Amino acid sequence: MVRRNMGNRLTNYEVSMVKAMVEDTGLQDQDIQSYFTRPARTINHARISDIRHGRARNSVNRASPEELQGFFDQWPGYDLETGLSTDGDDLVVKAREAMIAAVYVFNSAGLYFKTELFIVTAIISWTYAMHAWFRKHRIDYRYSVRGEVQLTANGAEKYIELGACLRHERNPLSNGVRKNLEFLLEIRHEIEHRSTQKIDEAVGAKLQACCLNFNSFIKREFGPQCGLDRRLSLALQFSTFGTDQRNYLKKESNLPRHIEMTIDHFENNLTEDEISDPAYRYNVVFVPVIKQRRSAADSAVEFIKAETQEERARVSQIFLREVDRKRYTATQVVGLMKTAGYPNFSIRNHTELWQKLDAKRSEAGLGNRGDYQGSWVWFESWVRRVRAHCEENAEKYA
């Protein structure tokens, strides 16, 4: 017997149980009603009364004593937190569980291919979620050819895959969400047909967007109690990343060529607005929270979404400044070189070097504007670069 949730309407399966309860248990209408009302669905008391007195659903046969006992044994049959039934709301339940599994796997320590596992599982999650939305709006999501529903080799009805869901004329997703999922589908195809490795850095922002998009969609379409934000917490890690370590990791990432080409090909067809859409690629800056009062430092990190002009300005400041980074004036850099055994290295030599290398451009990350107007300070990375220059020209400066 097919058991599908039709909003606040009892399914045929449930009606058969109501009839058995009326005839066999002696339960009052309000007691019977309590078995079918849950946080995500309220059954009107009159529906039970109409069934009892034969005013509705007469075509449905009552359940057998064995079936009724099985119903009682499995009751309540729904999640107490969300109110989702494992029968009528099975697609939403599966969608949530698949996304939870995807995030758990990605946050698990010691996995080398966690991105690939996340993408495959998240696509399964989104497929269930889209099917649940189609079912909710009574849209047929089966494959059909000239009106004939297609079947699998085993005789089961074939449901459309996620790509077809995204192309459906009544697809409810925004352009940014669709582009995000289309991107992940492209990467999934590469995962299926070719081995991948070390792609975490390249697609991480898209994975984060995928999670947030799913949470927003499931809450909007099936109720706020279905959200995953209360269930999945911030992932903790044992490592911290400094500039040198981060640059080394990027240098050594060796993104597979076929993945790189897939990303380039996909994003070359996107507009600047589509690429910067948080629903497509979600970027955040998080920095340690340092407070003077212990009671004010409950959060380990502060997340900045950069969605407003003020937030974007703050992100720019954070990217250009590292907490407690040691800074050097030009005179101090020259003094360090003299101490290191290069007494002939002068301020003029220093100026010529940074001008030649255009070292003050912001993306170089070698220095920053000082605390006073017109001043400039250099970071440790620039000191190392100057020292290398002196070593290469030792005869000139020694």
Side-chain angles (χ1 to χ4, degrees):
M1 186 179 297
V2 178
R3 316 176 201 178
R4 290 188 177 179
N5 185 357
M6 304 294 286
N8 292 342
R9 183 174 183 269
L10 289 168
T11 65
N12 288 344
Y13 168 80
E14 291 170 327
V15 171
S16 71
M17 296 302 160
V18 171
K19 290 186 174 183
M21 291 181 190
V22 167
E23 296 179 16
D24 296 350
T25 66
L27 292 172
Q28 299 299 311
D29 289 355
Q30 63 268 26
D31 298 322
I32 296 175
Q33 178 190 19
S34 67
Y35 280 96
F36 303 98
T37 295
R38 56 182 185 269
R41 184 185 72 165
T42 300
I43 297 299
N44 192 293
H45 175 269
R47 295 187 184 275
I48 307 299
S49 178
D50 288 343
I51 293 171
R52 177 186 290 276
H53 297 290
R55 294 191 293 264
R57 314 298 290 274
N58 292 325
S59 62
V60 179
N61 295 324
R62 57 150 287 168
S64 67
E66 293 77 19
E67 290 172 331
L68 180 60
Q69 186 59 51
F71 173 84
F72 284 135
D73 290 342
Q74 296 179 15
W75 191 84
Y78 63 86
D79 180 69
L80 295 176
E81 179 183 5
T82 64
L84 294 174
S85 166
T86 54
D87 289 324
D89 305 307
D90 56 313
L91 290 175
V92 182
V93 172
K94 290 178 180 179
R96 293 179 77 253
E97 289 188 354
M99 187 57 72
I100 290 170
V103 175
Y104 276 164
V105 167
F106 188 83
N107 288 340
S108 297
L111 295 180
Y112 291 104
F113 301 103
K114 58 186 181 180
T115 295
E116 291 87 336
L117 293 171
F118 174 91
I119 291 175
V120 171
T121 311
I123 287 174
I124 293 173
S125 172
W126 269 103
T127 303
Y128 281 134
M130 291 303 298
H131 288 177
W133 187 87
F134 286 134
R135 176 192 288 183
K136 174 185 174 182
H137 293 275
R138 301 177 184 273
I139 300 171
D140 191 351
Y141 54 94
R142 298 173 298 178
Y143 263 118
S144 61
V145 177
R146 292 185 291 275
E148 182 178 349
V149 176
Q150 300 299 292
L151 304 178
T152 67
N154 296 321
E157 295 178 341
K158 292 180 67 174
Y159 300 126
I160 59 177
E161 79 284 357
L162 182 58
C165 292
L166 300 179
R167 295 188 296 272
H168 196 282
E169 61 181 0
R170 293 190 61 184
N171 156 46
L173 304 178
S174 70
N175 183 63
V177 176
R178 290 200 306 273
K179 292 301 180 184
N180 175 265
L181 292 174
E182 288 170 0
F183 173 85
L184 295 183
L185 283 170
E186 289 294 325
I187 301 299
R188 197 278 306 272
H189 296 331
E190 293 298 318
I191 294 170
E192 287 180 335
H193 302 294
R194 298 185 62 176
S195 176
T196 59
Q197 58 181 347
K198 299 181 180 179
I199 65 174
D200 300 15
E201 180 76 23
V203 302
K206 278 87 167 182
L207 305 190
Q208 181 64 72
C210 176
C211 290
L212 297 177
N213 293 342
F214 178 86
N215 196 53
S216 296
F217 175 78
I218 212 76
K219 290 170 68 174
R220 182 179 71 249
E221 299 297 337
F222 302 100
Q225 75 280 358
C226 294
L228 302 180
D229 41 331
R230 292 182 298 175
R231 180 158 180 181
L232 296 172
S233 59
L234 177 70
L236 302 178
Q237 64 182 48
F238 290 99
S239 58
T240 58
F241 293 88
T243 303
D244 295 337
Q245 183 181 7
R246 184 167 58 250
N247 291 338
Y248 175 77
L249 289 174
K250 289 183 178 180
K251 179 181 178 181
E252 297 297 321
S253 63
N254 295 323
L255 185 65
R257 180 59 181 162
H258 64 101
I259 295 293
E260 183 178 349
M261 292 178 63
T262 299
I263 296 174
D264 289 344
H265 177 74
F266 186 88
E267 296 196 338
N268 284 340
N269 293 316
L270 300 182
T271 66
E272 287 299 323
D273 288 340
E274 288 175 330
I275 289 179
S276 61
D277 189 339
Y280 171 67
R281 181 177 61 188
Y282 193 84
N283 292 315
V284 297
V285 171
F286 62 100
V287 296
V289 175
I290 302 174
K291 301 289 186 181
Q292 295 298 323
R293 295 183 296 106
R294 293 183 180 180
S295 60
D298 292 332
S299 299
V301 295
E302 178 182 2
F303 289 89
I304 303 174
K305 298 181 181 179
E307 294 178 347
T308 66
Q309 188 63 37
E310 293 77 10
E311 288 170 341
R312 283 192 288 271
R314 188 176 177 195
V315 167
S316 298
Q317 293 174 358
I318 292 172
F319 274 129
L320 293 173
R321 174 179 58 83
E322 288 195 8
V323 178
D324 294 333
R325 177 184 283 191
K326 193 169 183 179
R327 306 187 298 176
Y328 303 86
T329 64
T331 300
Q332 289 174 322
V333 174
V334 172
L336 290 172
M337 296 307 108
K338 293 182 180 296
T339 302
Y342 305 103
N344 294 326
F345 185 77
S346 64
I347 286 290
R348 179 180 178 180
N349 299 134
H350 180 267
T351 301
E352 290 173 349
L353 179 61
W354 73 253
Q355 289 177 340
K356 176 182 178 181
L357 299 177
D358 194 15
K360 287 189 178 182
R361 67 188 189 282
S362 59
E363 61 268 25
L366 299 173
N368 200 1
R369 296 187 183 279
D371 297 329
Y372 305 100
Q373 186 175 2
S375 64
W376 186 271
V377 292
W378 297 98
F379 300 147
E380 188 67 40
S381 53
W382 173 247
V383 175
R384 290 195 297 271
R385 180 64 185 86
V386 174
R387 184 177 291 109
H389 171 76
C390 290
E391 291 172 353
E392 294 167 1
N393 300 272
E395 293 184 1
K396 176 179 178 180
Y397 300 125

